[in-house]
Amino acid sequence: MAKEKKGVRLDHISKIYRDPKTGKEFYAVHDTTLEIAPGAFVTLLGPSGCGKTTTLRMIAGFESPDEGEIYLGGEPINALTPNKRDTAMVFQSYALLPHYNIFDNVAYGLKLRKMDKETIRKKVLDILALVGLEGMEGRMTNQLSDGQQQRVALARALVIEPGVLLFDEPLSNLDAKLRVTMRTEIRRIQQEAGITAVYVTHDQSEAMALSDEIIIMEKGVVSQIGSPQEVYYRPKNEFVADFIGDANFLRGKFVRRDGQNAVVNVNGVEVLASGAENAAAGAETVIVLRPETSVLSDEGYFPVKVIVSSFMGAYQLYHVMLGDNKLIIHEYAPQGKKIYAMGETAYLRFAPENAHCI
């Protein structure tokens, strides 16, 4: 689909705004360096105000960095206007032309490039087939569902064959079920087209489902870059662990290494966990436990009191108290297993590879 797969590089990028109330300047994005490989699907993920949308808009050219340089396929692009950059944006609002039918909406960018009618027709029909709108080119946009409008917006961006496709929270206006369907379609289309994609969302499930790599941002800086598996199972800090899914935290002190594992003293009990390769003896350590990676048993590391025990079909949901610390446990495939009732005491058990020190 794309003429050339292009990567994106941000070299010490910063964006400074002035607070209209206080008049003070602040960094919306601060000293950010990123490398996005050609053909990759990368998601900028984080809460509102973390700088992800500002970063995307700087790549698109709608904002200019105050510090640093942006490169597209090795070419510096800070000085280029949005229409001169080899990018296309899919917006949250779709931004379709209401008086045009599907064909003319998708063809709009090609007509601006003054292509001949036959070339335009072939390109538009080909891209409509790719996004699942074949045979619908004559329909007006007000006759379309939200999902169909999003497909038109995607087709309009893809048809100009950009080096990089940018997505600004494109699914946030859709209902939950349609979001899941459309994110699967976006990933399929991106892989089929072989195009580099940079996607912005605050929805961690969306990021996990779509991405080759996730860039997690907090307060204008990058907290962690990694595959969905890396950021989920090996978070670098508590913010990342808590933002990507549910997480339990056990606080203790590093004791020593035992082969590949760390020995950590938690509540007077020595437990084994992964990570903490460079920790010093006595260092404060936090162990991250995902709800599905620990179980309740008649023996284990710690006695805990069950305060919630609910059958959820695929798993038994437990809330347990370890001292003053509430932990959440999802014990999958509970049929035939011992079920602990509210008020009972059980023991928490987990494997070292499922507990990660940060």
Side-chain angles (χ1 to χ4, degrees):
M1 176 67 220
K3 295 175 183 175
E4 179 188 354
K5 291 183 182 180
K6 291 187 177 180
V8 180
R9 180 161 62 90
L10 276 60
D11 189 11
H12 297 285
I13 290 297
S14 294
K15 182 64 184 177
I16 302 168
Y17 290 126
R18 187 181 299 276
D19 188 312
K21 292 182 179 178
T22 65
K24 293 183 178 179
E25 291 186 338
F26 67 95
Y27 280 97
V29 176
H30 188 219
D31 195 25
T32 294
T33 296
L34 299 173
E35 186 104 29
I36 297 170
F41 196 119
V42 174
T43 297
L44 297 167
L45 175 68
S48 296
C50 71
K52 59 187 184 298
T53 298
T54 300
T55 301
L56 189 79
R57 289 176 63 81
M58 285 192 287
I59 296 171
F62 301 131
E63 302 278 359
S64 298
D66 294 300
E67 300 167 357
E69 185 72 58
I70 300 174
Y71 297 85
L72 186 64
E75 176 192 4
I77 60 171
N78 280 23
L80 299 181
T81 57
N83 63 309
K84 298 295 184 184
R85 301 185 183 200
D86 191 12
T87 62
M89 178 86 88
V90 179
F91 294 95
Q92 178 181 335
S93 61
Y94 314 142
L96 301 179
L97 301 166
H99 304 302
Y100 283 17
N101 62 19
I102 291 177
F103 184 95
D104 289 332
N105 264 280
V106 175
Y108 186 75
L110 300 178
K111 289 177 179 177
L112 289 179
R113 288 161 173 76
K114 303 193 183 306
M115 290 186 179
D116 65 85
K117 287 184 178 181
E118 193 51 44
T119 300
I120 290 174
R121 180 170 179 77
K122 184 178 186 312
K123 284 180 175 291
V124 170
L125 295 182
D126 285 349
I127 209 71
L128 288 178
L130 180 65
V131 301
L133 294 174
E134 195 169 14
M136 297 177 63
E137 59 272 12
R139 288 197 192 178
M140 301 301 291
T141 55
N142 61 6
Q143 298 174 312
L144 305 179
S145 68
D146 284 343
Q148 288 169 331
Q149 289 185 57
Q150 187 56 270
R151 289 169 189 266
V152 176
L154 182 56
R156 185 181 56 189
L158 282 167
V159 79
I160 63 172
E161 301 185 28
V164 177
L165 189 57
L166 308 173
F167 294 90
D168 184 14
E169 303 208 42
L171 306 182
S172 58
N173 291 334
L174 306 181
D175 63 60
K177 188 174 181 180
L178 188 53
R179 284 180 76 134
V180 173
T181 301
M182 280 304 302
R183 77 189 186 198
T184 303
E185 281 296 285
I186 285 173
R187 182 58 164 151
R188 176 189 67 79
I189 292 163
Q190 179 267 337
Q191 289 181 312
E192 210 168 305
I195 196 169
T196 307
V198 185
Y199 192 98
V200 160
T201 185
H202 61 271
D203 185 322
Q204 54 94 10
S205 297
E206 216 166 86
M208 301 275 276
L210 284 166
S211 311
D212 296 311
E213 197 168 60
I214 298 174
I215 299 164
I216 301 172
M217 298 188 70
E218 180 191 15
K219 297 178 180 177
V221 299
V222 173
S223 285
Q224 186 170 350
I225 302 173
S227 69
Q229 293 86 351
E230 286 168 343
V231 297
Y232 186 78
Y233 290 119
R234 298 289 181 265
K236 286 190 174 179
N237 54 49
E238 287 189 52
F239 170 78
V240 173
D242 200 37
F243 195 80
I244 296 284
D246 294 321
N248 299 310
F249 300 106
L250 303 179
R251 301 182 189 279
K253 290 189 176 181
F254 178 81
V255 179
R256 64 183 183 279
R257 295 210 66 78
D258 181 357
Q260 297 296 312
N261 297 315
V263 179
V264 182
N265 186 307
V266 179
N267 287 16
V269 177
E270 289 190 351
V271 304
L272 296 176
S274 66
E277 287 84 0
N278 301 313
E284 297 288 335
T285 304
V286 178
I287 296 175
V288 179
L289 277 178
R290 296 297 183 184
E292 70 278 8
T293 60
S294 51
V295 297
L296 295 186
S297 177
D298 289 340
E299 56 182 26
Y301 282 126
F302 313 103
V304 294
K305 184 175 181 181
V306 179
I307 58 172
V308 171
S309 178
S310 299
F311 177 63
M312 305 299 289
Y315 64 93
Q316 188 75 16
L317 170 65
Y318 292 111
H319 290 190
V320 302
M321 296 302 297
L322 174 58
D324 295 330
N325 190 10
K326 185 174 84 170
L327 308 176
I328 299 172
I329 297 169
H330 296 167
E331 188 151 352
Y332 280 85
Q335 188 174 23
K337 296 179 180 177
K338 180 175 180 179
I339 302 300
Y340 294 88
M342 186 176 70
E344 288 189 316
T345 296
Y347 281 82
L348 185 69
R349 187 160 54 85
F350 51 85
E353 61 269 21
N354 290 331
H356 179 64
C357 295
I358 54 176

